[in-house]
């Protein structure tokens, strides 16, 4: 957690699993049977939280790769308004 811009707190969340592109490919092939709702739920919660404030939240996602270009996870960056 860090201070990004005035009026915001920034959080960076990093995982080291297969990454979004590889997970999508597995879902397309039918290997993964369920649809992840975590990001959708988080976006909804953040929208509800920030609707009463002048500033809104921001969320960016970055796919991570190792030195050989293999998927190495995802980093999510949240900037939420301070209250």
């Amino acid at each position: 957690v860090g201070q990004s811009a005035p009026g915001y707190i920034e959080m960076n969340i990093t995982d080291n699993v297969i990454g979004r592109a590889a997970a999508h490919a597995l879902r397309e092939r039918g290997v993964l049977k369920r649809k992840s709702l975590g990001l959708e739920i988080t976006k909804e919660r953040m929208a509800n939280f920030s609707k009463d404030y002048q500033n809104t939240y921001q969320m960016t996602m970055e796919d991570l790769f190792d030195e050989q270009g293999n998927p190495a996870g995802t980093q999510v960056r949240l900037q939420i308004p301070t209250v």
Side-chain angles (χ1 to χ4, degrees):
V1 176
Q3 190 72 27
S4 57
Y8 286 90
I9 291 185
E10 180 178 306
M11 291 180 279
N12 292 302
I13 304 154
T14 304
D15 72 38
N16 60 351
V17 292
I18 61 175
R20 295 183 301 158
H24 179 73
L26 289 174
R27 276 194 301 278
E28 290 291 314
R29 292 193 327 237
V31 175
L32 293 177
K33 302 291 185 195
R34 64 175 178 82
K35 181 178 190 289
S36 176
L37 299 175
L39 286 174
E40 291 178 38
I41 292 169
T42 299
K43 287 178 184 179
E44 185 177 315
R45 286 180 178 164
M46 295 307 300
N48 285 334
F49 169 77
S50 63
K51 72 180 178 182
D52 295 330
Y53 301 101
Q54 192 172 28
N55 299 327
T56 184
Y57 81 97
Q58 294 180 24
M59 182 170 73
T60 58
M61 292 184 290
E62 177 185 358
D63 293 317
L64 304 175
F65 299 93
D66 64 15
E67 295 80 23
Q68 291 78 35
N70 299 313
T74 306
Q75 181 176 55
V76 177
R77 181 176 161 202
L78 282 172
Q79 291 181 323
I80 58 172
T82 57
V83 279

PDB file of all heavy atoms in Angstrom, residues 45-72:
ATOM      1  N   ARG A  45     -18.164  -3.415  -5.870  1.00  0.00           N
ATOM      2  CA  ARG A  45     -17.975  -2.859  -4.526  1.00  0.00           C
ATOM      3  C   ARG A  45     -17.282  -1.503  -4.576  1.00  0.00           C
ATOM      4  O   ARG A  45     -17.653  -0.574  -3.862  1.00  0.00           O
ATOM      5  CB  ARG A  45     -17.169  -3.815  -3.654  1.00  0.00           C
ATOM      6  CG  ARG A  45     -17.937  -5.003  -3.198  1.00  0.00           C
ATOM      7  CD  ARG A  45     -17.085  -5.900  -2.333  1.00  0.00           C
ATOM      8  NE  ARG A  45     -17.866  -7.031  -1.860  1.00  0.00           N
ATOM      9  CZ  ARG A  45     -17.341  -8.114  -1.356  1.00  0.00           C
ATOM     10  NH1 ARG A  45     -16.031  -8.221  -1.266  1.00  0.00           N
ATOM     11  NH2 ARG A  45     -18.102  -9.102  -0.946  1.00  0.00           N
ATOM     12  N   MET A  46     -16.249  -1.404  -5.410  1.00  0.00           N
ATOM     13  CA  MET A  46     -15.528  -0.138  -5.514  1.00  0.00           C
ATOM     14  C   MET A  46     -16.411   0.956  -6.107  1.00  0.00           C
ATOM     15  O   MET A  46     -16.368   2.104  -5.674  1.00  0.00           O
ATOM     16  CB  MET A  46     -14.256  -0.320  -6.353  1.00  0.00           C
ATOM     17  CG  MET A  46     -13.222  -1.236  -5.718  1.00  0.00           C
ATOM     18  SD  MET A  46     -12.766  -0.789  -4.031  1.00  0.00           S
ATOM     19  CE  MET A  46     -12.114   0.839  -4.270  1.00  0.00           C
ATOM     20  N   ALA A  47     -17.237   0.621  -7.078  1.00  0.00           N
ATOM     21  CA  ALA A  47     -18.156   1.603  -7.660  1.00  0.00           C
ATOM     22  C   ALA A  47     -19.156   2.070  -6.614  1.00  0.00           C
ATOM     23  O   ALA A  47     -19.445   3.274  -6.505  1.00  0.00           O
ATOM     24  CB  ALA A  47     -18.870   1.002  -8.870  1.00  0.00           C
ATOM     25  N   ASN A  48     -19.680   1.157  -5.819  1.00  0.00           N
ATOM     26  CA  ASN A  48     -20.617   1.535  -4.755  1.00  0.00           C
ATOM     27  C   ASN A  48     -19.945   2.397  -3.697  1.00  0.00           C
ATOM     28  O   ASN A  48     -20.522   3.363  -3.207  1.00  0.00           O
ATOM     29  CB  ASN A  48     -21.224   0.290  -4.098  1.00  0.00           C
ATOM     30  CG  ASN A  48     -22.263  -0.372  -4.961  1.00  0.00           C
ATOM     31  OD1 ASN A  48     -22.895   0.265  -5.800  1.00  0.00           O
ATOM     32  ND2 ASN A  48     -22.433  -1.669  -4.774  1.00  0.00           N
ATOM     33  N   PHE A  49     -18.720   2.052  -3.357  1.00  0.00           N
ATOM     34  CA  PHE A  49     -17.981   2.800  -2.352  1.00  0.00           C
ATOM     35  C   PHE A  49     -17.707   4.230  -2.805  1.00  0.00           C
ATOM     36  O   PHE A  49     -17.848   5.176  -2.046  1.00  0.00           O
ATOM     37  CB  PHE A  49     -16.657   2.092  -2.041  1.00  0.00           C
ATOM     38  CG  PHE A  49     -15.704   2.905  -1.218  1.00  0.00           C
ATOM     39  CD1 PHE A  49     -15.901   3.052   0.142  1.00  0.00           C
ATOM     40  CD2 PHE A  49     -14.613   3.514  -1.809  1.00  0.00           C
ATOM     41  CE1 PHE A  49     -15.025   3.809   0.896  1.00  0.00           C
ATOM     42  CE2 PHE A  49     -13.738   4.273  -1.060  1.00  0.00           C
ATOM     43  CZ  PHE A  49     -13.943   4.417   0.304  1.00  0.00           C
ATOM     44  N   SER A  50     -17.317   4.385  -4.068  1.00  0.00           N
ATOM     45  CA  SER A  50     -16.855   5.696  -4.518  1.00  0.00           C
ATOM     46  C   SER A  50     -17.952   6.573  -5.111  1.00  0.00           C
ATOM     47  O   SER A  50     -17.710   7.733  -5.408  1.00  0.00           O
ATOM     48  CB  SER A  50     -15.721   5.534  -5.530  1.00  0.00           C
ATOM     49  OG  SER A  50     -16.179   4.872  -6.684  1.00  0.00           O
ATOM     50  N   LYS A  51     -19.170   6.070  -5.256  1.00  0.00           N
ATOM     51  CA  LYS A  51     -20.219   6.860  -5.908  1.00  0.00           C
ATOM     52  C   LYS A  51     -20.605   8.103  -5.115  1.00  0.00           C
ATOM     53  O   LYS A  51     -21.079   9.071  -5.693  1.00  0.00           O
ATOM     54  CB  LYS A  51     -21.451   6.004  -6.199  1.00  0.00           C
ATOM     55  CG  LYS A  51     -22.264   5.622  -4.987  1.00  0.00           C
ATOM     56  CD  LYS A  51     -23.454   4.789  -5.391  1.00  0.00           C
ATOM     57  CE  LYS A  51     -24.218   4.376  -4.148  1.00  0.00           C
ATOM     58  NZ  LYS A  51     -25.346   3.530  -4.489  1.00  0.00           N
ATOM     59  N   ASP A  52     -20.393   8.098  -3.810  1.00  0.00           N
ATOM     60  CA  ASP A  52     -20.735   9.246  -2.980  1.00  0.00           C
ATOM     61  C   ASP A  52     -19.615  10.275  -2.887  1.00  0.00           C
ATOM     62  O   ASP A  52     -19.771  11.297  -2.236  1.00  0.00           O
ATOM     63  CB  ASP A  52     -21.123   8.793  -1.570  1.00  0.00           C
ATOM     64  CG  ASP A  52     -22.390   7.952  -1.564  1.00  0.00           C
ATOM     65  OD1 ASP A  52     -23.243   8.178  -2.458  1.00  0.00           O
ATOM     66  OD2 ASP A  52     -22.523   7.085  -0.696  1.00  0.00           O
ATOM     67  N   TYR A  53     -18.499  10.000  -3.555  1.00  0.00           N
ATOM     68  CA  TYR A  53     -17.351  10.888  -3.464  1.00  0.00           C
ATOM     69  C   TYR A  53     -17.070  11.527  -4.817  1.00  0.00           C
ATOM     70  O   TYR A  53     -17.435  11.001  -5.860  1.00  0.00           O
ATOM     71  CB  TYR A  53     -16.115  10.124  -2.960  1.00  0.00           C
ATOM     72  CG  TYR A  53     -16.358   9.503  -1.610  1.00  0.00           C
ATOM     73  CD1 TYR A  53     -16.661   8.159  -1.478  1.00  0.00           C
ATOM     74  CD2 TYR A  53     -16.337  10.282  -0.462  1.00  0.00           C
ATOM     75  CE1 TYR A  53     -16.920   7.597  -0.243  1.00  0.00           C
ATOM     76  CE2 TYR A  53     -16.598   9.728   0.781  1.00  0.00           C
ATOM     77  CZ  TYR A  53     -16.894   8.387   0.881  1.00  0.00           C
ATOM     78  OH  TYR A  53     -17.151   7.843   2.097  1.00  0.00           O
ATOM     79  N   GLN A  54     -16.389  12.639  -4.779  1.00  0.00           N
ATOM     80  CA  GLN A  54     -16.065  13.350  -6.010  1.00  0.00           C
ATOM     81  C   GLN A  54     -15.092  12.546  -6.877  1.00  0.00           C
ATOM     82  O   GLN A  54     -15.180  12.548  -8.096  1.00  0.00           O
ATOM     83  CB  GLN A  54     -15.459  14.712  -5.657  1.00  0.00           C
ATOM     84  CG  GLN A  54     -15.349  15.649  -6.824  1.00  0.00           C
ATOM     85  CD  GLN A  54     -14.919  17.032  -6.369  1.00  0.00           C
ATOM     86  OE1 GLN A  54     -14.242  17.180  -5.354  1.00  0.00           O
ATOM     87  NE2 GLN A  54     -15.305  18.043  -7.119  1.00  0.00           N
ATOM     88  N   ASN A  55     -14.174  11.870  -6.238  1.00  0.00           N
ATOM     89  CA  ASN A  55     -13.185  11.056  -6.954  1.00  0.00           C
ATOM     90  C   ASN A  55     -13.682   9.620  -7.049  1.00  0.00           C
ATOM     91  O   ASN A  55     -14.328   9.116  -6.138  1.00  0.00           O
ATOM     92  CB  ASN A  55     -11.843  11.079  -6.229  1.00  0.00           C
ATOM     93  CG  ASN A  55     -11.278  12.472  -6.129  1.00  0.00           C
ATOM     94  OD1 ASN A  55     -11.476  13.290  -7.020  1.00  0.00           O
ATOM     95  ND2 ASN A  55     -10.600  12.760  -5.044  1.00  0.00           N
ATOM     96  N   THR A  56     -13.370   8.961  -8.111  1.00  0.00           N
ATOM     97  CA  THR A  56     -13.757   7.573  -8.277  1.00  0.00           C
ATOM     98  C   THR A  56     -12.516   6.681  -8.178  1.00  0.00           C
ATOM     99  O   THR A  56     -11.397   7.176  -8.250  1.00  0.00           O
ATOM    100  CB  THR A  56     -14.484   7.362  -9.615  1.00  0.00           C
ATOM    101  OG1 THR A  56     -14.934   6.012  -9.688  1.00  0.00           O
ATOM    102  CG2 THR A  56     -13.580   7.647 -10.796  1.00  0.00           C
ATOM    103  N   TYR A  57     -12.739   5.410  -8.035  1.00  0.00           N
ATOM    104  CA  TYR A  57     -11.616   4.481  -7.951  1.00  0.00           C
ATOM    105  C   TYR A  57     -11.063   4.217  -9.349  1.00  0.00           C
ATOM    106  O   TYR A  57     -11.727   4.454 -10.362  1.00  0.00           O
ATOM    107  CB  TYR A  57     -12.053   3.165  -7.307  1.00  0.00           C
ATOM    108  CG  TYR A  57     -12.756   2.223  -8.261  1.00  0.00           C
ATOM    109  CD1 TYR A  57     -12.053   1.200  -8.874  1.00  0.00           C
ATOM    110  CD2 TYR A  57     -14.095   2.377  -8.561  1.00  0.00           C
ATOM    111  CE1 TYR A  57     -12.686   0.345  -9.761  1.00  0.00           C
ATOM    112  CE2 TYR A  57     -14.733   1.529  -9.443  1.00  0.00           C
ATOM    113  CZ  TYR A  57     -14.021   0.522 -10.034  1.00  0.00           C
ATOM    114  OH  TYR A  57     -14.641  -0.323 -10.922  1.00  0.00           O
ATOM    115  N   GLN A  58      -9.839   3.706  -9.392  1.00  0.00           N
ATOM    116  CA  GLN A  58      -9.240   3.267 -10.642  1.00  0.00           C
ATOM    117  C   GLN A  58      -8.614   1.907 -10.416  1.00  0.00           C
ATOM    118  O   GLN A  58      -8.027   1.655  -9.363  1.00  0.00           O
ATOM    119  CB  GLN A  58      -8.174   4.249 -11.124  1.00  0.00           C
ATOM    120  CG  GLN A  58      -8.745   5.598 -11.497  1.00  0.00           C
ATOM    121  CD  GLN A  58      -7.668   6.550 -11.977  1.00  0.00           C
ATOM    122  OE1 GLN A  58      -6.616   6.144 -12.442  1.00  0.00           O
ATOM    123  NE2 GLN A  58      -7.941   7.827 -11.867  1.00  0.00           N
ATOM    124  N   MET A  59      -8.763   1.023 -11.385  1.00  0.00           N
ATOM    125  CA  MET A  59      -8.171  -0.302 -11.279  1.00  0.00           C
ATOM    126  C   MET A  59      -7.529  -0.649 -12.615  1.00  0.00           C
ATOM    127  O   MET A  59      -8.158  -0.518 -13.664  1.00  0.00           O
ATOM    128  CB  MET A  59      -9.227  -1.357 -10.930  1.00  0.00           C
ATOM    129  CG  MET A  59      -8.631  -2.734 -10.758  1.00  0.00           C
ATOM    130  SD  MET A  59      -9.763  -3.958 -10.064  1.00  0.00           S
ATOM    131  CE  MET A  59     -10.842  -4.247 -11.439  1.00  0.00           C
ATOM    132  N   THR A  60      -6.268  -1.055 -12.564  1.00  0.00           N
ATOM    133  CA  THR A  60      -5.577  -1.520 -13.753  1.00  0.00           C
ATOM    134  C   THR A  60      -5.030  -2.916 -13.487  1.00  0.00           C
ATOM    135  O   THR A  60      -4.723  -3.265 -12.345  1.00  0.00           O
ATOM    136  CB  THR A  60      -4.423  -0.576 -14.161  1.00  0.00           C
ATOM    137  OG1 THR A  60      -3.504  -0.475 -13.072  1.00  0.00           O
ATOM    138  CG2 THR A  60      -4.930   0.808 -14.521  1.00  0.00           C
ATOM    139  N   MET A  61      -4.938  -3.712 -14.538  1.00  0.00           N
ATOM    140  CA  MET A  61      -4.399  -5.061 -14.426  1.00  0.00           C
ATOM    141  C   MET A  61      -3.287  -5.223 -15.445  1.00  0.00           C
ATOM    142  O   MET A  61      -3.386  -4.733 -16.571  1.00  0.00           O
ATOM    143  CB  MET A  61      -5.484  -6.096 -14.682  1.00  0.00           C
ATOM    144  CG  MET A  61      -6.541  -6.114 -13.600  1.00  0.00           C
ATOM    145  SD  MET A  61      -7.758  -7.401 -13.851  1.00  0.00           S
ATOM    146  CE  MET A  61      -8.613  -6.769 -15.273  1.00  0.00           C
ATOM    147  N   GLU A  62      -2.231  -5.894 -15.012  1.00  0.00           N
ATOM    148  CA  GLU A  62      -1.082  -6.131 -15.883  1.00  0.00           C
ATOM    149  C   GLU A  62      -0.714  -7.606 -15.817  1.00  0.00           C
ATOM    150  O   GLU A  62      -0.544  -8.166 -14.727  1.00  0.00           O
ATOM    151  CB  GLU A  62       0.101  -5.280 -15.419  1.00  0.00           C
ATOM    152  CG  GLU A  62       1.362  -5.500 -16.201  1.00  0.00           C
ATOM    153  CD  GLU A  62       2.546  -4.732 -15.636  1.00  0.00           C
ATOM    154  OE1 GLU A  62       2.392  -3.988 -14.656  1.00  0.00           O
ATOM    155  OE2 GLU A  62       3.639  -4.888 -16.191  1.00  0.00           O
ATOM    156  N   ASP A  63      -0.603  -8.230 -16.976  1.00  0.00           N
ATOM    157  CA  ASP A  63      -0.130  -9.610 -17.022  1.00  0.00           C
ATOM    158  C   ASP A  63       1.380  -9.608 -16.839  1.00  0.00           C
ATOM    159  O   ASP A  63       2.082  -8.781 -17.421  1.00  0.00           O
ATOM    160  CB  ASP A  63      -0.498 -10.252 -18.363  1.00  0.00           C
ATOM    161  CG  ASP A  63      -1.999 -10.413 -18.521  1.00  0.00           C
ATOM    162  OD1 ASP A  63      -2.653 -10.830 -17.559  1.00  0.00           O
ATOM    163  OD2 ASP A  63      -2.509 -10.110 -19.618  1.00  0.00           O
ATOM    164  N   LEU A  64       1.873 -10.515 -16.030  1.00  0.00           N
ATOM    165  CA  LEU A  64       3.296 -10.624 -15.758  1.00  0.00           C
ATOM    166  C   LEU A  64       3.878 -11.821 -16.502  1.00  0.00           C
ATOM    167  O   LEU A  64       3.210 -12.842 -16.672  1.00  0.00           O
ATOM    168  CB  LEU A  64       3.538 -10.780 -14.250  1.00  0.00           C
ATOM    169  CG  LEU A  64       2.944  -9.684 -13.369  1.00  0.00           C
ATOM    170  CD1 LEU A  64       3.159 -10.018 -11.903  1.00  0.00           C
ATOM    171  CD2 LEU A  64       3.528  -8.335 -13.720  1.00  0.00           C
ATOM    172  N   PHE A  65       5.136 -11.678 -16.939  1.00  0.00           N
ATOM    173  CA  PHE A  65       5.815 -12.743 -17.674  1.00  0.00           C
ATOM    174  C   PHE A  65       7.224 -12.919 -17.127  1.00  0.00           C
ATOM    175  O   PHE A  65       7.844 -11.960 -16.668  1.00  0.00           O
ATOM    176  CB  PHE A  65       5.890 -12.388 -19.168  1.00  0.00           C
ATOM    177  CG  PHE A  65       4.523 -12.219 -19.787  1.00  0.00           C
ATOM    178  CD1 PHE A  65       3.934 -10.974 -19.845  1.00  0.00           C
ATOM    179  CD2 PHE A  65       3.835 -13.308 -20.281  1.00  0.00           C
ATOM    180  CE1 PHE A  65       2.661 -10.807 -20.401  1.00  0.00           C
ATOM    181  CE2 PHE A  65       2.566 -13.152 -20.836  1.00  0.00           C
ATOM    182  CZ  PHE A  65       1.984 -11.901 -20.900  1.00  0.00           C
ATOM    183  N   ASP A  66       7.734 -14.150 -17.206  1.00  0.00           N
ATOM    184  CA  ASP A  66       9.109 -14.392 -16.779  1.00  0.00           C
ATOM    185  C   ASP A  66      10.070 -14.019 -17.904  1.00  0.00           C
ATOM    186  O   ASP A  66       9.655 -13.522 -18.955  1.00  0.00           O
ATOM    187  CB  ASP A  66       9.300 -15.838 -16.294  1.00  0.00           C
ATOM    188  CG  ASP A  66       9.098 -16.878 -17.382  1.00  0.00           C
ATOM    189  OD1 ASP A  66       9.089 -16.532 -18.587  1.00  0.00           O
ATOM    190  OD2 ASP A  66       8.947 -18.072 -17.036  1.00  0.00           O
ATOM    191  N   GLU A  67      11.362 -14.283 -17.703  1.00  0.00           N
ATOM    192  CA  GLU A  67      12.388 -13.900 -18.669  1.00  0.00           C
ATOM    193  C   GLU A  67      12.215 -14.592 -20.014  1.00  0.00           C
ATOM    194  O   GLU A  67      12.643 -14.075 -21.048  1.00  0.00           O
ATOM    195  CB  GLU A  67      13.792 -14.216 -18.119  1.00  0.00           C
ATOM    196  CG  GLU A  67      14.191 -13.414 -16.896  1.00  0.00           C
ATOM    197  CD  GLU A  67      13.587 -13.986 -15.609  1.00  0.00           C
ATOM    198  OE1 GLU A  67      13.237 -15.194 -15.565  1.00  0.00           O
ATOM    199  OE2 GLU A  67      13.443 -13.216 -14.650  1.00  0.00           O
ATOM    200  N   GLN A  68      11.586 -15.761 -20.031  1.00  0.00           N
ATOM    201  CA  GLN A  68      11.376 -16.497 -21.274  1.00  0.00           C
ATOM    202  C   GLN A  68      10.044 -16.136 -21.951  1.00  0.00           C
ATOM    203  O   GLN A  68       9.701 -16.686 -22.989  1.00  0.00           O
ATOM    204  CB  GLN A  68      11.407 -18.012 -21.020  1.00  0.00           C
ATOM    205  CG  GLN A  68      12.770 -18.550 -20.647  1.00  0.00           C
ATOM    206  CD  GLN A  68      13.138 -18.261 -19.188  1.00  0.00           C
ATOM    207  OE1 GLN A  68      12.289 -18.270 -18.311  1.00  0.00           O
ATOM    208  NE2 GLN A  68      14.405 -17.985 -18.952  1.00  0.00           N
ATOM    209  N   GLY A  69       9.291 -15.219 -21.351  1.00  0.00           N
ATOM    210  CA  GLY A  69       8.013 -14.817 -21.927  1.00  0.00           C
ATOM    211  C   GLY A  69       6.842 -15.684 -21.520  1.00  0.00           C
ATOM    212  O   GLY A  69       5.751 -15.550 -22.064  1.00  0.00           O
ATOM    213  N   ASN A  70       7.047 -16.573 -20.541  1.00  0.00           N
ATOM    214  CA  ASN A  70       5.968 -17.427 -20.052  1.00  0.00           C
ATOM    215  C   ASN A  70       5.114 -16.662 -19.049  1.00  0.00           C
ATOM    216  O   ASN A  70       5.641 -15.854 -18.278  1.00  0.00           O
ATOM    217  CB  ASN A  70       6.537 -18.680 -19.383  1.00  0.00           C
ATOM    218  CG  ASN A  70       7.354 -19.505 -20.348  1.00  0.00           C
ATOM    219  OD1 ASN A  70       6.938 -19.770 -21.467  1.00  0.00           O
ATOM    220  ND2 ASN A  70       8.550 -19.899 -19.920  1.00  0.00           N
ATOM    221  N   PRO A  71       3.797 -16.923 -19.027  1.00  0.00           N
ATOM    222  CA  PRO A  71       2.941 -16.250 -18.043  1.00  0.00           C
ATOM    223  C   PRO A  71       3.436 -16.496 -16.624  1.00  0.00           C
ATOM    224  O   PRO A  71       3.799 -17.615 -16.261  1.00  0.00           O
ATOM    225  CB  PRO A  71       1.574 -16.898 -18.254  1.00  0.00           C
ATOM    226  CG  PRO A  71       1.608 -17.423 -19.649  1.00  0.00           C
ATOM    227  CD  PRO A  71       3.044 -17.822 -19.883  1.00  0.00           C
ATOM    228  N   ALA A  72       3.501 -15.424 -15.822  1.00  0.00           N
ATOM    229  CA  ALA A  72       4.018 -15.538 -14.458  1.00  0.00           C
ATOM    230  C   ALA A  72       3.096 -14.881 -13.437  1.00  0.00           C
ATOM    231  O   ALA A  72       3.499 -14.614 -12.329  1.00  0.00           O
ATOM    232  CB  ALA A  72       5.415 -14.917 -14.378  1.00  0.00           C
TER     233      ALA A  72
END
